[in-house]
Amino acid sequence: MSRLARRDFLNGIALSVGGALLSSRPAFGRGLDEAGAARYPPGLTGLRGSHDGSFEVAHALRDGSFWARAGVPADTGERYDLIVVGAGISGLAAAWFFRKAAGPSSARVLVLDNHDDFGGHARRNEFRVGGRTLIGYGGAFAIDSPAPYSAVASALVSELGIDVTRWARMFERGLYRGLGMTPAIFFDRETFGVDRLVPAPGGIAELGGATSAMGQADPFAAFLTNAPLSEAAKRDIQRLFKAPADYLPRLDDRDKKARLARTSYADFLLKIAGCHPDVLPLFQARPHSLYGVGIDAVSALDAWGLGFPGFAGMKLESTEGPGMGLDARPGPRSPFLHFPDGNATIARLLVQRLIPRAVPGRGADDVALARVDYTRLDEPGPARLRLNSTVVRARQAGEASDVEVDYVRAGRFQRVRAPSCVLACWSGVIPFLCPELPRAQREALAYATKVPIVYTNVVLRSWESFHAVRVSQAHCPGSFHTSVGLDLPVRVGSYRPSRRPDEPIVVQMMRTPCRPGLPAREQHRVGRQELLTTTFGTFEQKVRAQLARMLGDGGFDASRDILALTVNRWPHGYAYQYNSLWDPFWIDGGPLPCVAARQRFGRIAIANADAAAYAYADAAIDQAYRAVGELARRT
Ligand SMILES: Cc1cc2nc3c(=O)[nH]c(=O)nc-3n(C[C@H](O)[C@H](O)[C@H](O)COP(=O)(O)OP(=O)(O)OC[C@H]3O[C@@H](n4cnc5c(N)ncnc54)[C@H](O)[C@@H]3O)c2cc1C
């Protein structure tokens, strides 16, 4: 069973499917046309995602220093029918569901978000280079969930004019392969003793299974020959892929799965499959793109579900085992659809519905290159979107009274009111906004620690260096960024991807900071701290060095080739999904924290993907629908 998760695109499979530092000023985009550098949030480079200015107020609230200096909020006198906190897909969907339910009435909605752009994780990066626009995704990559979308989520997507069957028509699948390029694995000298880029047709996710390669009879054998791994490691890797064995022959299917659910994949390799420890570094970062942690913190059962090697001879029935992660479960998944800006297209289409005057055009093809007019988002109208606004309080003073929502915008402390409020922000923030929630609910909300992750977009003058080494993307198990890849060539509306190696392109790199050896949630906390203290200069240095080491043989020159760099840092990234190694209730049974966490509190309802402990857009939409429904039933 091999389930190719969407994020495996970042792990290197589906495409078969030294000079001076850049200035640390806005000249990050020194190769960009002027229009791209103007103050248009998608066009900003440098540290984006949770950008400076977006989190300081919330951190002061968390640290207890906010209220001492806050004073009394100025009453704006504004009253809405609904206030939504958070302009991610969940918050925008909640606003839309509410507006739709209100019909042609004059229901008014205000959406508040602490960032200077909307979409939450569904964020777009835009670059103007040599007269053309290049689009990148700064967060959520695709419509692609490990389970089918619900009727509600499917209906919303199609109502927005998104045809989820169009992927094959948009994606130039054979482009890189046609140019003789394959995925590869980059071995770094700190981990493997030498820097070496080794072609691995099929990438890390299909290592051992790839059959088509550039004239090679046995690409896996060629990979093993060239990989800088010890003989013991090579022998065991060969065995894992090519000599299926039942490592737990005395257990039946149920007991095998129960055992694997409580064993990390690292321990499975060492203690059950009897591999040499030198095998581990090759696979360590393999689950990063889905779990944000390595094989020390992901169960062997999940590893089996995800198609990692070592299970082919274990006679496991393709049925779900106890405590399997949501990403690893067998069964049908959603359709796959990736726009050049990822799920930012969904966010833009939702804003288009809510505030048509701000987003020109109609439908996915039009919004691909549409320039959103940010000055119109907060104009008076049925729906308003107020950015750079961190909510610090949501309080309903009495049974019949409005919810008062206090927020800080540009240093000003202000209050708005509405009879109903949806908190579509991160669960972990809510106890600080609503300290009067019951203690058990606050604890359940706080359980939802976020998974830190970074999507770095690097604009290159050309991709000749990739072409010269015949590599389109690489999994880099020991490097700072654990994946590097040329943008997926996708056509939508009048947008055309880079098709020739001498054209500029966006290169996507991913990092998930974590600390192997700790429990998963602790790893996320440590990773988040690391991320918040890593400067742009450090990111820049790491990007330059990594690309130079990988592509030096192809003539890559960082000073000449890198035109712009946008680091989308998400210290509060994916919703935390439960894990059989670390969450006893997930494997032994018991109430789920997310269910206790999302209970309505008077006229305040709770949405966001966190409310389902499921890090996908369909969860964000479903939770919005539930939250709006709860409020509707209340009134
Ligand atoms: C790097 C990355 C890649 C991903 N890739 C995919 C993918 O390919 N497919 C997929 O389906 N999902 C993906 N996801 C998961 C993604 O989180 C969900 O799909 C979905 O976009 C979440 O939407 P949301 O509205 O629930 O949360 P968010 O997008 O997190 O939106 C919540 C918003 O609330 C704001 N907020 C928080 N506190 C406050 C406050 N106090 N005041 C005001 N605003 C506040 C936040 O800043 C944020 O803007 C990815 C996530 C990340 C981080």
Side-chain angles (χ1 to χ4, degrees):
M1 179 177 56
S2 171
R3 286 162 61 78
L4 303 182
R6 67 182 148 97
R7 292 161 182 146
D8 277 332
F9 276 91
L10 309 174
N11 248 343
I13 93 156
L15 273 202
S16 11
V17 221
L21 293 181
L22 296 175
S23 150
S24 60
R25 291 256 193 281
F28 302 140
R30 74 199 157 95
L32 303 184
D33 297 349
E34 213 145 286
R39 191 152 180 97
Y40 170 64
L44 295 174
T45 53
L47 270 182
R48 297 292 295 154
S50 283
H51 56 79
D52 289 346
S54 66
F55 52 80
E56 293 77 355
V57 170
H59 287 180
L61 189 68
R62 174 200 64 193
D63 298 341
S65 56
F66 176 79
W67 292 109
R69 283 179 286 145
V72 180
D75 198 333
T76 59
E78 294 174 26
R79 185 172 187 274
Y80 298 87
D81 296 293
L82 176 73
I83 295 173
V84 179
V85 180
I89 286 179
S90 199
L92 295 171
W96 178 240
F97 288 138
F98 184 85
R99 284 273 310 135
K100 263 185 48 169
S105 81
S106 55
R108 295 174 65 240
V109 182
L110 174 70
V111 184
L112 297 162
D113 195 280
N114 56 322
H115 289 100
D116 63 9
D117 203 351
F118 57 82
H121 296 148
R123 195 75 70 73
R124 168 184 174 105
N125 293 164
E126 220 177 273
F127 309 91
R128 289 283 300 167
V129 188
R132 69 191 279 185
T133 298
L134 295 180
I135 301 173
Y137 51 99
F141 167 68
I143 292 175
D144 183 24
S145 187
Y149 271 36
S150 68
V152 165
S154 303
L156 179 65
V157 165
S158 85
E159 180 186 357
L160 293 176
I162 296 174
D163 170 8
V164 290
T165 67
R166 67 184 290 193
W167 175 237
R169 302 190 297 279
M170 292 162 60
F171 178 40
E172 299 197 23
R173 178 176 295 277
L175 177 70
Y176 298 134
R177 201 173 9 167
L179 292 167
M181 302 165 79
T182 68
I185 293 178
F186 177 64
F187 295 89
D188 63 294
R189 62 176 172 268
E190 292 83 351
T191 313
F192 298 97
V194 63
D195 282 346
R196 193 174 297 163
L197 189 62
V198 181
I204 183 73
E206 289 202 335
L207 204 59
T211 48
S212 64
M214 324 316 312
Q216 288 167 342
D218 183 353
F220 180 58
F223 168 79
L224 276 188
T225 303
N226 295 324
L229 294 165
S230 69
E231 285 312 312
K234 289 183 182 184
R235 189 193 58 226
D236 286 341
I237 292 166
Q238 166 82 22
R239 175 166 65 83
L240 282 176
F241 282 104
K242 301 292 182 189
D246 189 348
Y247 300 111
L248 296 170
R250 279 192 279 278
L251 302 186
D252 64 16
D253 185 69
R254 207 188 60 155
D255 289 346
K256 276 179 187 167
K257 286 178 177 159
R259 171 94 182 268
L260 296 176
R262 294 178 189 276
T263 306
S264 73
Y265 183 57
D267 279 347
F268 167 81
L269 290 175
L270 289 181
K271 298 175 186 164
I272 296 182
C275 291
H276 191 278
D278 287 356
V279 168
L280 299 189
L282 177 63
F283 298 113
Q284 176 58 29
R286 174 74 184 83
H288 273 204
S289 60
L290 282 174
Y291 290 72
V293 286
I295 58 173
D296 56 296
V298 170
S299 80
L301 189 66
D302 282 11
W304 163 70
L306 293 165
F308 291 16
F311 303 100
M314 292 196 60
K315 307 184 189 87
L316 293 165
E317 289 166 22
S318 359
T319 50
E320 190 177 319
M324 265 183 112
L326 298 173
D327 289 299
R329 290 180 175 179
R333 57 187 304 130
S334 75
F336 177 89
L337 183 58
H338 164 76
F339 291 106
D341 63 3
N343 288 353
T345 287
I346 301 180
R348 292 180 133 221
L349 290 169
L350 280 165
V351 173
Q352 188 174 60
R353 292 293 160 126
L354 289 163
I355 313 170
R357 60 191 177 278
V359 187
R362 189 106 182 128
D365 286 334
D366 284 354
V367 298
L369 282 170
R371 192 172 167 101
V372 173
D373 186 348
Y374 282 78
T375 64
R376 309 207 69 176
L377 294 174
D378 194 14
E379 284 180 350
R384 298 175 74 162
L385 173 49
R386 191 163 296 165
L387 297 170
N388 299 303
S389 303
T390 304
V391 172
V392 293
R393 194 88 168 89
R395 178 168 166 269
Q396 189 186 348
E399 180 61 14
S401 47
D402 278 352
V403 182
E404 296 169 345
V405 177
D406 299 340
Y407 65 96
V408 177
R409 182 164 196 271
R412 304 226 320 258
F413 190 25
Q414 292 177 311
R415 172 167 295 170
V416 284
R417 290 188 181 79
S420 299
C421 174
V422 172
L423 298 178
C425 53
W426 305 321
S427 282
V429 178
I430 294 174
F432 299 100
L433 309 189
C434 306
E436 47 284 297
L437 283 170
R439 183 164 169 203
Q441 187 170 4
R442 279 186 279 128
E443 285 172 1
L445 285 158
Y447 196 84
T449 191
K450 303 288 270 181
V451 178
I453 185 163
V454 184
Y455 278 8
T456 300
N457 280 327
V458 190
V459 179
L460 296 188
R461 187 187 53 84
S462 77
W463 40 289
E464 283 154 326
S465 53
F466 278 86
H467 186 232
V469 295
R470 297 284 183 265
V471 165
S472 52
Q473 55 180 306
H475 178 63
C476 315
S479 300
F480 185 78
H481 286 93
T482 50
S483 76
V484 176
L486 297 176
D487 197 24
L488 293 184
V490 174
R491 281 174 278 123
V492 55
S494 53
Y495 183 71
R496 291 289 170 273
S498 178
R499 302 193 74 255
R500 288 199 330 259
D502 62 351
E503 291 179 326
I505 198 165
V506 179
V507 170
Q508 219 266 341
M509 302 175 75
M510 184 201 72
R511 170 174 175 75
T512 52
C514 55
R515 181 75 57 81
L518 297 176
R521 292 165 70 246
E522 197 54 34
Q523 294 204 38
H524 299 324
R525 278 193 207 100
V526 173
R528 177 160 41 255
Q529 274 318 307
E530 182 215 289
L531 197 46
L532 281 167
T533 51
T534 306
T535 62
F536 179 76
T538 300
F539 275 108
E540 185 186 352
Q541 247 163 353
K542 298 284 188 188
V543 165
R544 295 169 67 100
Q546 188 169 343
L547 292 181
R549 287 165 62 177
M550 286 174 53
L551 302 168
D553 289 348
F556 179 81
D557 174 346
S559 307
R560 184 197 59 203
D561 292 341
I562 298 180
L563 298 182
L565 182 57
T566 299
V567 177
N568 297 281
R569 92 180 144 179
W570 299 109
H572 304 272
Y574 299 158
Y576 178 73
Q577 298 188 170
Y578 304 133
N579 175 328
S580 61
L581 292 183
W582 310 108
D583 302 307
F585 54 82
W586 190 240
I587 183 160
D588 296 334
L592 301 181
C594 66
V595 175
R598 68 186 181 219
Q599 297 307 308
R600 180 180 55 77
F601 187 61
R603 295 171 173 205
I604 300 173
I606 294 175
N608 194 286
D610 284 354
Y614 190 50
Y616 292 87
D618 50 331
I621 295 167
D622 290 341
Q623 295 305 314
Y625 189 78
R626 177 195 48 74
V628 170
E630 285 174 2
L631 292 171
R633 282 191 292 280
R634 175 99 198 349
T635 48

